[in-house]
Amino acid sequence: MINRVVLVGRLTKDPEYRVTQSGVAIASFTLAVNRTFTNAQGERQADFINCIVFRKQAENVNTYLHKGSLAGVDGRLQSRSYDNQEGRRVFVTEVVCDSVQFLEPKNSRSGTEQYDDYPQAQQTNDYEARNKKAQETMPNTNPFANSDGPIDISDDDLPF
């Protein structure tokens, strides 16, 4: 049997972190995962998937992930049940994560914000400067750069 789950999404709120009596760290969080299609109004819907992670990965999730963080999880689907305070049985389905990947730089607050240390204008200027320098140092490799008119190619030279 195969029970494998791979998801990429954003945390809906900060992870909930706790340590059991036996000293095992546990972090639980919910990922919002976009569906691949839109509804009748053209809006993209999302699924909200509960995830749980243990031990060192739980400590890392608690330290580095927060509401809005983009994360990838790899794990298995698990169902469990418990009796709540009113005595009713509650069924829970969640992803038990074997691996959690942080998909944004650690100084990024969310996927829509820019890096704190590098403003967008500075990034553009650095790129343009490097690109211009690279073009100046590279020889002109365009074989059509000096042609002023139509290019004369015989039918024998064409591959089709």
Side-chain angles (χ1 to χ4, degrees):
M1 302 296 160
I2 297 174
N3 182 355
R4 205 83 210 135
V5 177
V6 178
L7 300 169
V8 174
R10 294 197 179 274
L11 273 69
T12 61
K13 60 182 180 178
D14 290 343
E16 295 176 12
Y17 180 78
R18 66 184 189 279
V19 179
T20 65
Q21 292 176 348
S22 59
V24 177
I26 300 173
S28 57
F29 56 93
T30 301
L31 275 184
V33 180
N34 286 335
R35 294 182 180 173
T36 56
F37 54 89
T38 57
N39 63 13
Q41 291 79 27
E43 300 167 342
R44 188 168 299 271
Q45 294 181 327
D47 292 304
F48 299 92
I49 313 293
N50 294 325
C51 301
I52 189 166
V53 63
F54 298 94
R55 297 178 181 78
K56 184 64 177 172
Q57 278 276 348
E59 295 173 17
N60 290 337
V61 163
N62 185 53
T63 303
Y64 297 109
L65 292 182
H66 49 81
K67 179 179 179 178
S69 293
L70 186 65
V73 301
D74 179 20
R76 60 186 169 83
L77 199 60
Q78 177 177 294
S79 296
R80 61 184 173 87
S81 65
Y82 64 92
D83 294 327
N84 65 9
Q85 294 176 348
E86 291 105 30
R88 292 189 180 162
R89 179 142 299 214
V90 178
F91 292 92
V92 178
T93 301
E94 58 200 357
V95 175
V96 178
C97 302
D98 296 328
S99 172
V100 178
Q101 302 293 318
F102 310 144
L103 301 179
E104 292 180 312
K106 64 181 176 181
N107 62 352
S108 178
R109 291 205 176 101
S110 77
T112 58
E113 294 182 19
Q114 295 298 322
Y115 303 117
D116 293 338
D117 298 338
Y118 303 103
Q120 179 65 24
Q122 183 66 36
Q123 289 178 7
T124 303
N125 292 340
D126 289 348
Y127 172 77
E128 290 172 355
R130 285 192 306 263
N131 193 24
K132 185 176 180 182
K133 186 174 183 175
Q135 288 177 353
E136 290 171 357
T137 59
M138 286 179 49
N140 188 1
T141 58
N142 183 355
F144 305 108
N146 295 328
S147 66
D148 293 331
I151 300 171
D152 185 30
I153 299 177
S154 69
D155 288 342
D156 296 334
D157 293 335
L158 295 174
F160 47 89

